[in-house]
Amino acid sequence: MAEAPSGNADNDTDNNAAEAFLQGGSLKHAPGPYFGSYGGRWMPESLIAALDELEETFNKAKEDPEFRAQIADLNKNYSGRPSLLTEAKRFSQHAGGVRIFLKREDLNHTGSHKINNVLGQALLAKRMGKTRVIAETGAGQHGVASATAAALMGLECVVYMGAEDCRRQALNVARMELLGATVIPVTSGSQTLKDAINDALRDWVANVDNTHYLLGTAAGAHPFPAMVRYFHEVIGEEARAQILEQEGRLPDAVCACIGGGSNAIGIFHGFLDDPSVKIYGFEAGGDGVDTGRHAATITLGKPGVLHGARSYLMQDDDGQTIESHSISAGLDYPGVGPEHSYLADIGRVSYEPITDSEAMESFRLLCRTEGIIPAIESSHALAGAIKVGRRLAAEAAASGGTAQDKIVIVNLSGRGDKDVATAAEWFNLLDKDSAESEIGKEGEQL
Amino acid sequence: MTTAQTTSKSAAAIDKARAEGRAALIGYLPAGYPSVEETIAAGIALAENGADLIEIGIPYSDPVMDGQVIQAATTEALAKGFSVSQVFDVVQGITSRTDAAVLVMTYWNPVVRMGVDEFSRRLAEAGGAGLITPDLIPDEAAEWMEASDKYGLDRVFLVAPSSTTERMQRTVDASRGFVYAVSIMGVTGARTSVSTAAKDVVAAAHAAGAERVCVGLGVSNAGQVREIAAYAEGVIVGTALVAAIRDGGVDAVAALTKDLSTGLSRTGLTEEEA
């Protein structure tokens, strides 16, 4: 399929967009600021000039062959792209016998998809003449990636991280500091990822002249959702080309985990305009969506505005943000990127919750069947892929085909080295008196 | 802004101060801190000691424009169970006993959640003058523009040192009552000096046609009030009042307001200094 022109998703209503898609229109390259009724700029006036500057710089850069060449070079020679597309044959046996392929973002430098976005934004920061970047982080993955990009490009880096997360992820704090970043523990509000974003925004408004806010996910005010997606589109483009090359056909389904949704929007983008490909986003169901302790924003949230965008949001009847819960720090966020809210409303992508237990079972299964330790975030996508695989297998059987004819691609967004303490505690692998046991316990309380 | 001048409570309060040869004093208090009753009592004390307008903040879970003092106060109010509907009790409690114009300052999501029309209707019923919206820009305000017209409420948008000429014009045009000039690039909190940027922002707002521009962020004492009163129609004090109610209750709010109001005159020194 030829690359569709941009702008077609900028429709007046969701119904128009859905109809246009069904008639062969494009959902790709949605430019923002709005995705249906989502997105926008719900931000203090003080920051609008900086957002305008960023938007203009980004729009120029993506049309600039030199910038594109810089990105391509960094992706290849620094991050190690293209990442592999690996068939998980033994794991697939647990998914009704369909064929599951893993998009190996875990093999990127720094161990996750996060590097794609930070390299792009750090280059833009330099183009704007900014000398300092700030970032928020939950468990530390985006903070480490930001510190990495800043070190590579000679930028000062300050990372905001919840005080509790700093203690829980002491090794990631050390990694950031080794890379030359300053980590500031956040003690305001609920001291979680959302409060780290609040403090980063407070820093940005005071230092916007020399500082770029290197937001870690496809959320926030325009141009962040469309821009972060742009830097992650490489995931979907590679995966689509790889499956066509390896199998000569498109997959039946694509699965990814959703916190803010950057790895997901990156891989989804490659397949949005392929109507035969079903797309699934798996949110963190925590202890279960009926327990109140979860991060299933689209499944149970209501539209609202937070951190600059209108999107689905976990909130109470007063519009106060509700704290999310997940064993996976990377999915533990009460909001979600606005493009996902739109794709959910028009029905192009199905969003479903996966509980902590389901994710951890899939975590262990991938370790033991494929010799790959996945991030707990990505394990939500793996658990979802098992469910999708079984449904596809049933469909195949009903129509006289075989499960082996069905192909599912899972975005393995990150590696699980960072999660070993949490997993070891979950599976009771630690001696009770060990220091690791203490760390694991804290991790489990996420 | 011209069409609304006759109905704007905020404009009337500022114009009354102007007729007395001084700038208006605007005091901020977070609703429900330390309790709903004390917020009402402190609001009345503000009005009785020289404040012309009162700004009541709705405690919110993610106050990105607030510094530590206000964050701590609003977090405590939420922890004590403050609910958004109580802001109307606070507004009514003050407007029924004083002549001050009472505005609500709120981050936007609580209004979205209640429904913009419903929120506006209840605010108007409580005698409120309008809304100050720190994270709502005119670009996203279509629903609020409609509701504020329907219920005769003031819409106070913010302008900043970083606002371009084009955005300044757009914001001034969309505002009613007054325009809130952010004195510095930063969050709320007392500062030792008022940035020189404040004067430039006010001048730019005036040049864009704003008749009433009030300056906030970082203003905490009578000296700073005097400095700003020389070029703006109003002076907004927040963090210093929150610290006062925290440390000394309603009496401290009354005393600080009285002191702040000595800085409002444009016509030279106060008796004390003469």
Side-chain angles (χ1 to χ4, degrees):
Chain A
M1 186 187 243
E3 180 136 303
S6 63
N8 290 358
D10 191 18
N11 284 299
D12 290 342
T13 69
D14 297 346
N15 283 340
N16 287 350
E19 205 170 298
F21 168 68
L22 290 172
Q23 290 169 1
S26 177
L27 289 172
K28 292 177 77 171
H29 305 292
Y34 301 102
F35 307 90
S37 63
Y38 302 105
R41 274 185 180 172
W42 308 82
M43 275 297 223
E45 169 66 22
S46 298
L47 288 171
I48 301 299
L51 292 168
D52 279 340
E53 180 192 18
L54 179 60
E55 181 182 13
E56 193 187 330
T57 305
F58 168 60
N59 284 338
K60 278 187 188 154
K62 67 180 178 178
E63 303 303 328
D64 179 351
E66 190 188 325
F67 182 80
R68 294 161 79 115
Q70 276 179 307
I71 293 282
D73 176 62
L74 285 166
N75 280 347
K76 180 174 178 223
N77 297 313
Y78 188 74
S79 304
R81 304 203 71 94
S83 65
L84 300 178
L85 186 70
T86 305
E87 182 166 9
K89 289 184 179 165
R90 280 173 29 83
F91 182 84
S92 297
Q93 291 167 14
H94 299 266
V98 301
R99 298 175 69 196
I100 291 182
F101 290 75
L102 307 175
K103 181 57 178 165
R104 301 291 304 281
E105 293 297 296
D106 61 313
L107 296 177
N108 295 339
H109 178 47
T110 71
S112 80
H113 69 290
K114 294 285 186 191
I115 194 76
N116 305 328
N117 171 47
V118 296
L119 291 174
Q121 284 199 48
L123 279 179
L124 290 178
K126 295 208 57 140
R127 286 197 155 216
M128 291 185 287
K130 312 253 170 167
T131 56
R132 179 175 180 264
V133 292
I134 55 175
E136 81 294 342
T137 199
Q141 294 311 102
H142 175 59
V144 169
S146 298
T148 300
L152 178 68
M153 300 190 198
L155 296 162
E156 182 190 349
C157 180
V158 173
V159 179
Y160 288 90
M161 184 171 184
E164 186 61 19
D165 288 332
C166 285
R167 206 177 57 73
R168 203 152 51 189
Q169 298 284 346
L171 284 177
N172 264 343
V173 173
R175 283 173 80 193
M176 289 182 262
E177 287 174 346
L178 283 171
L179 291 160
T182 303
V183 179
I184 300 183
V186 172
T187 55
S188 63
S190 56
Q191 308 189 13
T192 60
L193 176 59
K194 80 174 178 67
D195 303 283
I197 294 175
N198 293 342
D199 266 9
L201 286 168
R202 291 176 187 123
D203 179 317
W204 200 27
V205 76
N207 299 294
V208 69
D209 281 348
N210 73 344
T211 299
H212 171 64
Y213 181 14
L214 215 167
L215 184 67
T217 192
H222 180 69
F224 281 104
M227 181 179 73
V228 173
R229 183 201 65 223
Y230 174 84
F231 292 126
H232 285 304
E233 285 172 8
V234 64
I235 306 171
E237 284 165 10
E238 284 178 9
R240 192 172 187 279
Q242 286 166 321
I243 200 71
L244 286 175
E245 189 191 328
Q246 291 175 25
E247 298 302 322
R249 54 162 291 205
L250 289 169
D252 297 281
V254 171
C255 301
C257 62
I258 308 265
S262 68
N263 90 82
I265 202 70
I267 194 161
F268 292 175
H269 194 262
F271 301 94
L272 279 177
D273 288 347
D274 297 313
S276 68
V277 180
K278 291 177 180 167
I279 305 180
Y280 297 90
F282 294 100
E283 302 191 299
D287 292 346
V289 291
D290 48 3
T291 66
R293 289 176 53 84
H294 60 82
T297 307
I298 293 177
T299 305
L300 286 182
K302 294 187 170 67
V305 292
L306 177 68
H307 295 148
R310 182 174 190 275
S311 196
Y312 279 97
L313 177 63
M314 288 175 59
Q315 55 181 323
D316 67 14
D317 290 342
D318 268 357
Q320 310 285 357
T321 309
I322 294 175
E323 275 185 62
S324 54
H325 292 277
S326 169
I327 192 170
S328 151
L331 305 183
D332 201 355
Y333 178 61
V336 66
E339 194 167 4
H340 287 295
S341 293
Y342 170 68
L343 292 171
D345 279 8
I346 65 168
R348 177 62 186 105
V349 179
S350 304
Y351 295 86
E352 300 174 17
I354 293 292
T355 63
D356 288 353
S357 301
E358 290 171 323
M360 292 311 291
E361 280 313 308
S362 298
F363 175 96
R364 180 159 65 180
L365 188 61
L366 194 76
C367 291
R368 296 192 173 184
T369 56
E370 301 293 337
I372 296 169
I373 301 177
I376 298 177
E377 289 80 5
S378 319
S379 301
H380 288 70
L382 291 166
I386 290 175
K387 292 185 180 183
V388 169
R390 288 175 182 168
R391 283 179 223 155
L392 287 173
E395 279 173 29
S399 61
T402 70
Q404 274 289 301
D405 296 335
K406 300 289 186 184
I407 293 176
V408 177
I409 295 180
V410 180
N411 197 19
L412 198 69
S413 55
R415 68 182 181 217
D417 304 46
K418 68 186 174 62
D419 297 318
V420 168
T422 304
E425 177 68 21
W426 181 273
F427 295 117
N428 289 316
L429 304 178
L430 295 172
D431 183 278
K432 280 198 190 76
D433 299 327
S434 68
E436 287 78 6
S437 175
E438 285 304 306
I439 295 170
K441 244 178 235 158
E442 296 301 332
E444 197 185 336
Q445 286 169 4
L446 271 169
Chain B
M1 291 174 70
T2 44
T3 52
Q5 279 168 13
T6 49
T7 59
S8 166
K9 289 180 181 172
S10 310
I14 293 168
D15 290 352
K16 183 164 166 282
R18 179 155 42 190
E20 294 168 9
R22 62 180 178 86
L25 179 64
I26 303 169
Y28 165 91
L29 294 168
Y33 178 78
S35 68
V36 167
E37 294 70 29
E38 283 161 292
T39 310
I40 294 170
I44 293 167
L46 267 172
E48 289 176 345
N49 288 280
D52 305 284
L53 294 88
I54 295 165
E55 187 184 328
I56 299 297
I58 295 182
Y60 175 55
S61 53
D62 297 275
V64 296
M65 278 294 280
D66 284 311
Q68 291 185 358
V69 172
I70 292 177
Q71 279 180 45
T74 54
T75 301
E76 185 180 323
L78 287 173
K80 286 177 174 169
F82 173 84
S83 72
V84 170
S85 293
Q86 288 177 297
V87 81
F88 305 120
D89 301 335
V90 173
V91 171
Q92 185 140 37
I94 301 171
T95 55
S96 62
R97 275 169 268 182
T98 75
D99 294 329
V102 181
L103 295 119
V104 166
M105 193 228 74
T106 181
Y107 293 93
W108 198 240
N109 199 51
V111 181
V112 172
R113 191 74 192 91
M114 182 175 287
V116 178
D117 188 87
E118 168 78 356
F119 189 101
S120 302
R121 184 183 64 74
R122 293 178 68 176
L123 179 61
E125 271 177 19
L131 287 179
I132 300 171
T133 52
D135 64 351
L136 180 72
I137 55 174
D139 317 48
E140 304 287 5
E143 221 180 331
W144 167 229
M145 300 292 278
E146 191 182 322
S148 53
D149 282 346
K150 181 173 169 189
Y151 297 103
L153 295 169
D154 291 333
R155 37 182 191 251
V156 179
F157 293 105
L158 278 61
V159 293
S162 59
S163 299
T164 58
T165 308
E166 187 187 359
R167 289 204 59 81
M168 181 66 78
Q169 190 65 56
R170 178 169 194 170
T171 308
V172 165
D173 290 347
S175 298
R176 176 161 59 215
F178 64 97
V179 174
Y180 189 129
V182 171
S183 66
I184 50 149
M185 294 298 286
V187 297
T188 59
R191 288 173 176 83
T192 49
S193 63
V194 179
S195 141
T196 51
K199 196 171 180 177
D200 297 338
V201 180
V202 172
H206 283 152
E211 291 179 36
R212 299 168 199 85
V213 185
C214 302
V215 174
L217 253 63
V219 188
S220 63
N221 60 50
Q224 292 170 328
V225 169
R226 183 171 301 117
E227 202 182 315
I228 293 166
Y231 58 80
E233 284 69 41
V235 188
I236 305 167
V237 179
T239 296
L241 286 163
V242 179
I245 198 169
R246 177 193 69 198
D247 298 336
V250 173
D251 291 346
V253 169
L256 177 60
T257 308
K258 199 164 225 169
D259 182 53
L260 291 167
S261 67
T262 64
L264 293 172
S265 174
R266 286 182 182 146
T267 52
L269 302 173
T270 59
E271 282 175 39
E272 208 172 300
E273 289 160 321

